[in-house]
Amino acid sequence: DIKERKYWDEYQAAYEDAINHTASETSPWYIIPADNKWYARQLVSSIIVKTLESLDLHYPELSDEEKSRLAGYREQLMKE
């Protein structure tokens, strides 16, 4: 490791280039500091929550025919 220390700036530049050339708006990179576990976990959790909220997810809406069919299936299962 002692010999490799002189390449630190080059490693950092290569790392930054890799991130900048592979990250995109739809597939971003997140750099999470790992020297404090609770903080790293908080950051990851926040990113996941923010991403899920941005998806604007909704339950699917069923037609009356589909609802009727499901009610029939439920009735069959309740008889078992």
Side-chain angles (χ1 to χ4, degrees):
D1 285 350
I2 209 82
K3 292 179 183 179
E4 295 298 314
R5 294 179 74 136
K6 65 182 175 183
Y7 300 112
W8 178 256
D9 291 337
E10 293 171 48
Y11 289 142
Q12 290 300 306
Y15 174 75
E16 193 171 325
D17 284 346
I19 298 299
N20 288 333
H21 286 89
T22 58
S24 68
E25 189 173 324
T26 56
S27 299
W29 281 94
Y30 296 96
I31 310 305
I32 307 295
D35 55 342
N36 190 323
K37 286 187 179 184
W38 75 264
Y39 184 66
R41 290 177 180 148
Q42 158 59 18
L43 286 175
V44 170
S45 298
S46 296
I47 291 166
I48 291 171
V49 168
K50 184 178 176 183
T51 301
L52 289 173
E53 288 175 344
S54 75
L55 296 176
D56 195 29
L57 300 173
H58 301 282
Y59 284 105
E61 294 190 22
L62 300 176
S63 68
D64 289 338
E65 180 185 329
E66 291 169 315
K67 289 177 185 176
S68 177
R69 211 171 338 140
L70 285 175
Y73 296 148
R74 182 173 191 266
E75 190 175 316
Q76 282 181 313
L77 290 170
M78 296 302 286
K79 290 180 182 177
E80 290 184 4

